[in-house]
Amino acid sequence: IGGAIKRALSAGKHVLSEKPISGSLREAEALIGFWRALEPQPVWLVAENWRFEESFMEARRQIDAGTIGKPTKVKSDCVTVRPLDSPYVQCEWRKASALHCGWLLDIATHGIAALRLIFDDFLLVGDTTLVREEVDGGVSETVSAPIRLSNDVQGNLTFLYEVKPKIQPVFDVRIEVVGTEGRLLADRNSLRHWDEQGREQKRREYHCLTVSRCISAFVEAIQDRVPVNNDNPLHPERALFDLKILERIREPLLKRIA
């Protein structure tokens, strides 16, 4: 993907590229350096549509407002279930095991972006584990890693990818944040809040056309006719940070096949 992005930018074309920004940190950093040196500078954004998920942004606002007190723990489960005849399953690179970082490049990037809407930074990613099972004529892989986030919040990050015949597709992430005065549970469609006694206080429902918002953000950036602002949610630097976290998760898996 990096070569295609560079050729388009070299030709002065505005680019909305797929996530992750690249398959390697070295290439991603080189691409950003190349892009920044162009004059005039075309628009380049990286299409991570989950950055527009309202439920995760509202979760951040609720935490900042002290709704659950001081956050202490987080659990993030990113789940993808596909039937064998899904076009997503037929992509050759998605067929690769997480051990070879196939589907993980796609799914983990989404999950990391969602969690970063709630917490600013990943301070630590612990040793990654991979469990692979043959299930009902298909396969299931689970990648997990302990994490430490900003404000010393401890937690666990899990990615599940399951492919079976004739199964209802699922593509979501559930992020639970426990605080000193309650807890929040956010997925792509809802945000729920319980107080410290375990009584549910509020439930909000969401339905966001996030891919459309990606395209709109790209068009607006072109119309602005100014260099892309670092605050743009699709800025390549944000995608680079996602990739840095993904690399920390991938590294133990890559060492196993080195």
Side-chain angles (χ1 to χ4, degrees), residues 50 77-90 94 103 106-107 135-136 138-142 159-174 188:
W50 283 23
D77 296 316
C78 194
V79 177
T80 302
V81 178
R82 302 288 190 197
L84 283 172
D85 59 357
S86 166
Y88 292 102
V89 174
Q90 301 309 312
R94 279 196 179 99
W103 63 265
D106 183 28
I107 306 307
V135 289
D136 301 331
V139 65
S140 173
E141 290 193 335
T142 303
F159 306 100
L160 168 67
Y161 185 70
E162 192 167 281
V163 178
K164 294 181 182 179
K166 298 179 181 178
I167 193 170
Q168 188 68 27
V170 178
F171 185 40
D172 206 349
V173 60
R174 290 166 54 90
R188 298 178 68 199

Side-chain angles (χ1 to χ4, degrees), residues 5-15 34 38-43:
I5 293 170
K6 189 172 184 179
R7 287 192 296 273
L9 292 173
S10 297
K13 305 298 183 183
H14 302 304
V15 175
F34 172 81
L38 291 174
E39 185 61 45
Q41 188 182 86
V43 170

Side-chain angles (χ1 to χ4, degrees), residues 3 37 39 42 47 65 94 101 157 166 182 193 249:
E39 185 61 45
R94 279 196 179 99
C101 306
L157 189 60
K166 298 179 181 178
H193 167 220
I249 294 168

Side-chain angles (χ1 to χ4, degrees), residues 12-85:
K13 305 298 183 183
H14 302 304
V15 175
L16 179 64
S17 63
E18 179 61 282
K19 56 89 189 91
I21 184 173
S22 172
S24 74
L25 279 177
R26 179 178 296 180
E27 182 184 56
E29 289 168 345
L31 275 172
I32 289 175
F34 172 81
W35 170 63
R36 287 195 179 281
L38 291 174
E39 185 61 45
Q41 188 182 86
V43 170
W44 177 27
L45 300 179
V46 181
E48 174 47 80
N49 58 300
W50 283 23
R51 288 198 215 286
F52 294 102
E53 295 288 354
E54 291 287 350
S55 56
F56 306 128
M57 290 190 280
E58 180 60 26
R60 172 62 181 264
R61 289 189 286 266
Q62 292 296 317
I63 290 170
D64 288 346
T67 301
I68 61 169
K70 182 181 183 299
T72 57
K73 296 179 182 178
V74 64
K75 185 174 185 290
S76 177
D77 296 316
C78 194
V79 177
T80 302
V81 178
R82 302 288 190 197
L84 283 172
D85 59 357

Side-chain angles (χ1 to χ4, degrees), residues 30-238:
L31 275 172
I32 289 175
F34 172 81
W35 170 63
R36 287 195 179 281
L38 291 174
E39 185 61 45
Q41 188 182 86
V43 170
W44 177 27
L45 300 179
V46 181
E48 174 47 80
N49 58 300
W50 283 23
R51 288 198 215 286
F52 294 102
E53 295 288 354
E54 291 287 350
S55 56
F56 306 128
M57 290 190 280
E58 180 60 26
R60 172 62 181 264
R61 289 189 286 266
Q62 292 296 317
I63 290 170
D64 288 346
T67 301
I68 61 169
K70 182 181 183 299
T72 57
K73 296 179 182 178
V74 64
K75 185 174 185 290
S76 177
D77 296 316
C78 194
V79 177
T80 302
V81 178
R82 302 288 190 197
L84 283 172
D85 59 357
S86 166
Y88 292 102
V89 174
Q90 301 309 312
C91 297
E92 288 300 321
W93 63 270
R94 279 196 179 99
K95 292 180 182 179
S97 164
L99 193 61
H100 300 277
C101 306
W103 63 265
L104 191 63
L105 280 172
D106 183 28
I107 306 307
T109 306
H110 277 310
I112 291 164
L115 192 53
R116 288 187 60 219
L117 286 176
I118 302 175
F119 293 98
D120 289 325
D121 201 2
F122 282 63
L123 303 181
L124 177 70
V125 177
D127 192 29
T128 306
T129 61
L130 168 64
V131 176
R132 179 181 174 90
E133 299 176 295
E134 304 294 328
V135 289
D136 301 331
V139 65
S140 173
E141 290 193 335
T142 303
V143 174
S144 297
I147 54 175
R148 181 160 60 89
L149 304 174
S150 50
N151 299 322
D152 209 33
V153 177
Q154 308 286 329
N156 197 73
L157 189 60
T158 299
F159 306 100
L160 168 67
Y161 185 70
E162 192 167 281
V163 178
K164 294 181 182 179
K166 298 179 181 178
I167 193 170
Q168 188 68 27
V170 178
F171 185 40
D172 206 349
V173 60
R174 290 166 54 90
I175 301 175
E176 182 179 27
V177 184
V178 178
T180 55
E181 299 174 22
R183 66 186 177 100
L184 294 172
L185 179 62
D187 59 31
R188 298 178 68 199
N189 298 309
S190 67
L191 175 64
R192 302 172 69 182
H193 167 220
W194 291 265
D195 64 18
E196 56 189 322
Q197 279 77 45
R199 296 174 299 217
E200 186 164 7
Q201 300 298 297
K202 188 174 288 189
R203 180 184 179 119
R204 299 176 176 88
E205 303 291 337
Y206 298 90
H207 179 65
C208 303
L209 300 174
T210 56
V211 173
S212 296
R213 292 186 64 177
C214 269
I215 296 170
S216 295
F218 180 54
V219 172
E220 289 164 10
I222 294 170
Q223 292 173 337
D224 285 344
R225 297 179 181 275
V226 295
V228 175
N229 190 296
N230 285 353
D231 292 334
N232 190 303
L234 304 182
H235 195 286
E237 291 283 1
R238 296 197 179 201

